Structure formats: structure tokens, C-alpha cells
Amino acid sequence: MVDSPALEVAFLSSPGPDPFLRERLYALLDDFEPVAIHEDESSDTWRVFFKSSSDRDAAAAQLSTAIAPHLLRAAAVDVPDEDWARRSQQNLKAIEIGGLIVAPPWDVPRTRSKPVIIIEPSTGFGTGHHATTQLCLRLLQQLELRGARVLDIGTGSGVLALAAWKMGAADVVAIDNDPDALDNARDNIARNGGAPAIDIICDDLTTLKVQPADVVLANLTAAVLVRHADALRALARHNGYLILSGFGPDHLVEIRPAFDRMLDINEITEGDWAAICLEMPHA
């Protein structure tokens, strides 16, 4: 049995004097490439998994200097269970998000009145239960996807790519730079019958070369979205759309200027999280 290096992060003064602490923490952790972040129901405790103990320890050192100790406590742990993701999320239930249902394998509705996306919890992000995923799904359902080409950047578990396919997209590409996440995405795509329709690519925004799409999904972090704004914008066809999430409402003041040549179509929020839909105007 292989231990998984992780940080147990506890927020000590929620919501506290820093309402954007969680977004700042996501941005700090992003530099150390965590493979998964699992939150308890209240979001007051996170378990953050890393590829190696050295990455975990470096992240802990950075947090200790960047965030005041009265705001959060981070402790290094080794989780001695390779099936930790399934065990930690075994109480997940099917949820309805607009006209879609996202369900773990153990809670698939017997009567399917809406399209169902079955997602097996694993080390990839995106069971469909996090607010940012739900925001993306809500915005995605406001677009006409029949026959469309869709790119899902940072696909994680593949839930957004699968949603696009279920909604009629003809050409879907799921992209991530984490091979473990893509293994999970590949399994979920096969489980839902989407393997013939969804391509999977291991790459990142610094080197990615694909044909532009009608819709580009990027559920990342504010720092990553701003850093790679030009690359993301180039992936959208004229009159195509970008759906962006993974950040709090406060970060819109940074994100909008980075995508200033695009039209702001819609913005939605849920709790500490936000998402926007932008349109690439015709040349």
C-alpha cells in the first residue's frame, strides 16, 4: 500500500478577516501542482494531495510564510490508503445541476429523466459537487452545443467534457497536464460511453497546439487564467465562447482586463466562487 503525501489545512477564523483567503490559498498551492484538493462539507478543512513529499513540504513552507498563522493551520500527513478518494467521498450523492444529473456510481438514479454523468471520485479534480464545477455546468447549459467543438482545459475527472458531449457537442477534447487525472478522466469517459466521441490530450497551455473551438472551458485558478489569458483566448473561434471559473468574485477585477478583447456575456456566483462566460467577437 502506497502512502499519499498530503497537507491537512484547517481554516481557524472562517469567514474571518480575509474573505478571499481560500482563493489566495488556491493560488499559492497551484505553484506546487497538487493532484487533488478535497474539502469537508463546511469547507473549513481541506486535505491537499501532492505528487511527492518534497512538493508537499515545500508547499507547507510557503504557506507558513505567506499566510498568518492565526488564519490557518497546515499539517503534513501521509494517507496510508491508495483508495483514499473513494473512502473520503463515499457519502457523495447524485445532484441535479439544471438539466443534468451528476452521480457517483453508487447513487445512479434508477429513473433517468435527465442526462446522467457518472463520475468515480479519484485523484482528479471535479466530482461535479464543487461549486466551480457546478457554475461551469450552469453556464455551459446556456449555450447551444449541438454540433459544436468544445475544449475542456484542465479536465480533471472529465465531468465538463462529458457534459458537453451529453449536450450534443460533436467534437470534444479533454486536456490536462496530470497523467493521473487523465487516467481518471479516461475511465469516466469510458464508463459513460463517451470514448468514441471525446479525445484526451496530455498537455498544458504553454505548449498546447489544437484547433480553436466553439466553446472553451477552463476551471482553473485566477493566477493561471491571467497568466495564460492569451493562450486561452487564441483557443476560441470568432463568435466562440470561454467559460472560466476556479476563482472568487474579487478576482474578476484581475481576470476581466486579461480578457479585455472579449465580450462579457454572463457572470454567476455561488458562495465564495464565481464564473464568467465571454464571447470572442468576429474579426
Side-chain angles (χ1 to χ4, degrees), residues 219-254:
N219 185 12
L220 303 169
T221 66
V224 172
L225 292 172
V226 171
R227 185 186 314 142
H228 297 290
D230 289 344
L232 287 166
R233 192 166 40 234
L235 292 173
R237 290 172 175 165
H238 295 302
N239 297 124
Y241 299 92
L242 282 182
I243 292 177
L244 310 176
S245 192
F247 52 85
D250 184 58
H251 287 285
L252 286 168
V253 297
E254 308 165 28

Side-chain angles (χ1 to χ4, degrees), residues 159-245:
V159 60
L160 296 179
L162 280 163
W165 170 63
K166 293 269 186 177
M167 292 169 59
D171 181 9
V172 182
V173 185
I175 303 161
D176 208 297
N177 63 359
D178 183 349
D180 291 332
L182 287 179
D183 284 343
N184 180 228
R186 190 173 289 104
D187 290 344
N188 285 323
I189 289 168
R191 179 180 290 108
N192 285 270
I198 302 175
D199 293 325
I200 297 173
I201 295 177
C202 186
D203 209 336
D204 61 41
L205 287 167
T206 61
T207 56
L208 180 64
K209 296 186 184 302
V210 294
Q211 292 297 314
D214 302 294
V215 179
V216 180
L217 296 152
N219 185 12
L220 303 169
T221 66
V224 172
L225 292 172
V226 171
R227 185 186 314 142
H228 297 290
D230 289 344
L232 287 166
R233 192 166 40 234
L235 292 173
R237 290 172 175 165
H238 295 302
N239 297 124
Y241 299 92
L242 282 182
I243 292 177
L244 310 176
S245 192

Side-chain angles (χ1 to χ4, degrees), residues 31-32 40 128 143 174:
D31 290 336
F32 302 95
D40 66 5
L143 302 178

Side-chain angles (χ1 to χ4, degrees), residues 44-63:
D44 287 336
T45 302
W46 291 4
R47 177 171 282 183
V48 186
F49 290 85
F50 296 86
K51 295 177 183 177
S52 68
S53 296
S54 60
D55 288 342
R56 185 265 315 275
D57 296 342
Q62 176 70 10
L63 295 185

